[in-house]
């Protein structure tokens, strides 16, 4: 397990001695702790930890590590996951008409600031195919109508499976996914909603923002759940606007917020910075990484 | 009308030649235009103007100016108001338990950065009286129950009338005012709501924000209208928060946003920077004032 | 001059009756004023105006309009420029190693949110050629050493001339241009500096920011002038950072700010929103455009 | 040591097993860890920790705890301090002419959001005495000239000593303190500088900001050190401004930033959130406190 950063994410009921127990565990196995970040929800009495380990001098196999950790975790009622860091995650991007998020994600991946393999792009329109071709990513045009929805989703699910997709990014995919689809990928689908949730849920948020005369517009990246726009929020941001904006100019300003917010949320997910608890996302900041 | 800044606010259906007509009018009367700010709502075909005039060399009485302007305004279907700048507006502040907005408004007024006369403070609790006394402002404790609501409002209305109040500031007054009260002071009551509207309308917005797991909290200052929290928004702002916030810490962070947002909205109102059109507030920025 | 938006930018000594004179001029020629934005620098007694005109019903040729306007302008000591709106400006992008600004500008142009023709990309390295090829833009690799600097600049100048370039964007071009080069393109070269100027001028601003322990990092887009990083600032923005940042993570966060700031500055330039006065840029906001 | 929150701040060379050793130490003494925050400076190989302990079930005296911890700390070359939480710190505020920071600090203390005893206000002018009297705080007017500087500082030092002052807040005190003064209170003097440092060090930053034509203005709260405006930055913030600002309006906008930034820095200090290392301040966020 040489020259490798191993990241554990954990949550469990809060209890005395947790930090000591967990850090001792890794210390005794020969790991050096690069960073350890904790959060205690004092209302729900729940403990969350993200710990990054340098495996350089740890003389233990992945399998053995997982088994030992599991043993310690059980009596603590500790839910956990581990990321061994070496293999890049496989990502699928879903889009409709709008290209700013797509361009941004593809460029970041190409530049190396978004560490993942973008395996394919799926769309219910053929419009953005030229962008996929520029970046050399397979583009799957799967049109959809009310009648063909389930069938189209089956095709998508098959594509995700055959490409061994770890993360689905809804980069302005303007279709509502079925509960069945969503539930196959719990905490594995990130959606960008073009408003500061919970304001302006549903369709046409910029029109609604114009009609309400708000002085701020925003965007929210969240995990997709059965209840539309109700999933755990990962990143949100806003920008000031004035009375002088039209729905069209709001859309233009909003595009920049959407771009930043979505790419940051995806990056947090890929770097194992997020633990979901109920409908909330605990998002640890990067720790000097 | 010597050494005086006169500010006109106007709105009318958009039509050709408006800027020329209006600026000519003032030019011919001998006014120097200090700043002229315009906004055309191209969707509703409506024109808005704020114009600040140096009256130094204008040889016309207030009354004559109003009459002449009225004459020009009529065929243009132009709604307007004028602020002759010399007399400070009379302000009443309404509060309940929370003191941060009250301290802030009183200190700004005392420092001269909020130009107005704070004539009185009205509260449904006696708690904040010591603050009123520190600043030497009369404090009226008018408790209220469901049964005495109308009677208490009558007392408030009498106080506002006898003090010739121009602007009422609801600085965290936690009672809903009756439609009758609201309608007596159209565009003359500014309320601070402790969320980024339209998110989290109604009571306990910080608790709701915590429950939803948002990554931003905010505040909105708006004119009070019959529909609670639906009035024209004047100023909004937000601040980033993390999963680590509790309703209590959100409240603490939020207090700073509320303070800034309310004082800025009040200042915009006092400086005649706002024109209301439907449920929207057109807020012109200060023009080098 | 049908169905066309004409934009005038003007500046002159402040004097009575300016707004009336100018707006009358256009009114009489049959133009409809879409928006008129003004700024008076009351310290330097200088007047600035941006006026957008609908030429639909104006029965006058470009040449006649320019001549008439010139005549009116002369006695007012009015400096002005006009943009007839129909023809897209020709743009050259200069880069070195860093690709985020390049990707962003190319994608925005392709999407239509940056209205211009990107005619060529010039670099002192061959590294970013593949990006130019993806977007189908000619890429000119012109290496430079201390000895060949003047010669390389001559090549660049020839390329700019033969491509009829209206605007040069230094999108992280890490060479200092000679005064001679700069002076050929007054207010026609926009540079992105990766700090909130005037902090951290010169090289390695992120390293300097780390060393100083600042809690904010930023970026500034400005017109290039002879004095490096001293030109008129067009757009600036910052983002909060913590002690936990390294020069490397600051660079990553900063890249997003640089991207936003540069594209906004370029857009303001292309939309004729900027008037330069001394070392300051007056940047009018979009007026519902 | 019942019902008490104990906060340790530590720093030492980074070394294997630190987290485990430290958390074990407290675990074995019977403390419950409320939060533990760490930061590793990977460039300087230095480790920092803030740990908050619930002392409810810890059966150990303050003295014994300090001795035991000292013993463990020595071989680790660990610098540390501990805050036993029960006693509020004594604070002195120094001011000159400007009142916004003073009002804000006094109001926050009164409201309970700034936990400390404000023992006295010291000024080189008599102007702000009425504010001190409103809040019932002793006001010491100590005028100063170039000739009387050392003598005046001696008076101040005597006042700080007799009032057992833990923290000095320079809330727009417009005099430069001598090195001797500064060195008596290492990391115990917080100054507000009215610019985003390192931009616009020294006097008249708003005038300099106007002259440079920046699009952002800001404020920085920092520990005072011998080199003026060079001390460790604790909190910084900025706000967008436009060309339309004058030095006067910049000052007005800046006042709000100064107010927020200073009170937050003071609060971080009082809550033991800050560790200074070289010229940098490591500022841990509140941990659900």
């Amino acid at each position: 397990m040489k020259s490798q950063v191993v990241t554990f994410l954990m949550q469990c009921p809060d209890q005395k001695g947790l930090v000591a127990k967990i850090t001792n565990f890794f210390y005794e196995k020969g790991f050096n702790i690069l960073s350890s970040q904790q959060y205690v929800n004092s209302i729900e009495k729940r403990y969350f930890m993200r710990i990054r380990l340098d495996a350089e001098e740890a003389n233990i196999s992945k399998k053995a590590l997982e088994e030992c950790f599991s043993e310690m975790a059980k009596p603590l009622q500790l839910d956990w996951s581990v990321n061994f860091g070496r293999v890049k995650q496989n990502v699928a991007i879903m889009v409709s008409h709008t290209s700013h998020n797509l361009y941004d994600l593809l460029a970041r991946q190409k530049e190396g600031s978004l560490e993942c393999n973008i395996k394919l792009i799926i769309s219910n329109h053929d419009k953005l195919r030229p962008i996929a071709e520029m970046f050399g990513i397979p583009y799957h045009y799967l049109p959809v109508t009310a009648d063909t929805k389930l069938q189209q989703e089956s095709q998508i699910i098959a594509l995700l499976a055959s490409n061994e997709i770890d993360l689905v990014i809804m980069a302005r995919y303007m279709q509502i996914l079925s509960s069945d689809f969503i539930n196959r990928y719990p905490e594995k689908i990130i959606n960008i909603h073009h408003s500061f949730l919970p304001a302006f849920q549903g369709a046409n948020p910029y029109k609604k923002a114009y009609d309400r005369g708000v002085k701020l517009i925003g965007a929210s990246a969240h995990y997709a759940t059965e209840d539309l726009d109700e999933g755990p929020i990962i990143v949100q941001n806003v920008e000031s606007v004035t009375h002088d904006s039209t729905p069209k100019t709001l859309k233009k300003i909003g595009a920049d917020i959407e771009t930043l917010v979505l790419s940051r949320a995806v990056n947090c997910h890929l770097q194992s910075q997020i633990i979901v608890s109920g409908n909330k996302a605990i998002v640890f900041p990067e720790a000097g990484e």
Side-chain angles (χ1 to χ4, degrees), chain A:
Chain A
M1 237 198 299
K2 300 273 150 183
S3 59
Q4 190 172 342
V5 174
V6 177
T7 307
F8 274 82
L9 296 174
M10 320 169 202
Q11 60 174 304
C12 63
D14 196 17
Q15 49 204 290
K16 220 173 160 174
L18 268 175
V19 195
K21 257 176 221 160
I22 296 166
T23 53
N24 268 342
F25 174 88
F26 291 115
Y27 180 48
E28 284 164 8
K29 299 279 177 283
F31 288 95
N32 194 20
I33 297 176
L34 294 171
S35 68
S36 104
Q37 297 165 287
Q38 300 160 66
Y39 160 56
V40 178
N41 186 316
S42 53
I43 294 165
E44 297 168 19
K45 308 283 178 217
R46 202 156 174 81
Y47 176 86
F48 300 86
M49 186 184 228
R50 177 184 184 239
I51 195 161
R52 288 167 59 251
L53 308 161
D54 175 354
E56 189 67 41
E57 295 173 40
N59 204 351
I60 185 171
S61 72
K62 285 184 193 186
K63 197 158 165 276
L65 175 63
E66 292 186 320
E67 280 170 10
C68 289
F69 191 81
S70 224
E71 219 164 282
M72 186 199 64
K74 201 168 279 172
L76 304 170
Q77 294 176 266
L78 195 151
D79 285 340
W80 58 281
S81 66
V82 58
N83 179 342
F84 287 102
R86 262 225 190 109
V87 186
K88 283 184 186 170
Q89 294 187 43
N90 292 332
V91 168
I93 301 178
M94 297 177 72
V95 292
S96 291
H97 299 284
T98 313
S99 58
H100 53 267
N101 283 113
L102 181 61
Y103 267 123
D104 179 67
L105 293 167
L106 294 173
R108 284 175 194 270
Q109 194 276 339
K110 203 108 184 177
E111 282 181 316
S113 67
L114 207 64
E115 286 183 55
C116 62
N117 303 310
I118 298 178
K119 301 280 281 187
L120 76 166
I121 297 164
I122 298 167
S123 182
N124 56 330
H125 294 277
D126 209 30
K127 187 181 160 198
L128 303 183
R129 181 185 296 278
I131 301 174
E133 283 171 357
M134 279 170 62
F135 284 84
I137 311 284
Y139 187 89
H140 296 265
Y141 166 40
L142 300 174
V144 63
T145 64
D147 288 347
T148 63
K149 190 178 177 71
L150 283 183
Q151 188 190 331
Q152 188 241 22
E153 284 200 353
S154 302
Q155 290 175 291
I156 299 175
I157 289 164
L159 278 169
L160 300 181
S162 66
N163 283 278
E164 299 182 312
I165 293 304
D166 299 300
L167 175 67
V168 178
I169 306 174
M170 295 175 71
R172 303 291 310 269
Y173 181 69
M174 306 311 275
Q175 293 288 319
I176 295 170
L177 299 174
S178 70
S179 297
D180 176 58
F181 189 119
I182 297 282
N183 291 330
R184 279 168 189 263
Y185 291 92
E187 296 159 32
K188 301 286 181 202
I189 308 175
I190 295 178
N191 182 44
I192 179 75
H193 184 74
H194 38 323
S195 83
F196 50 100
L197 289 173
F200 308 128
Q201 299 191 197
N204 293 323
Y206 293 124
K207 177 66 171 56
K208 289 174 189 163
Y210 169 79
D211 288 339
R212 180 63 188 89
V214 290
K215 302 302 185 192
L216 295 170
I217 56 161
S220 311
H222 63 95
Y223 285 115
T225 53
E226 286 190 58
D227 297 314
L228 190 67
D229 301 332
E230 292 282 357
I233 295 169
I234 305 167
V235 180
Q236 291 189 294
N237 211 343
V238 296
E239 196 156 315
S240 290
V241 296
T242 72
H243 55 264
D244 211 346
S245 305
T246 58
K248 199 182 134 203
T249 58
L250 292 179
K251 222 166 165 170
K252 213 162 75 179
I253 298 168
D256 289 338
I257 316 173
E258 293 167 33
T259 298
L260 216 62
V261 160
L262 181 58
S263 70
R264 293 207 170 163
V266 169
N267 194 55
C268 287
H269 181 93
L270 293 174
Q271 302 301 318
S272 297
Q273 293 171 243
I274 311 176
I275 305 177
V276 171
S277 172
N279 72 331
K280 290 182 197 167
I282 288 96
V283 184
F284 292 103
E286 284 199 7
E289 289 154 53

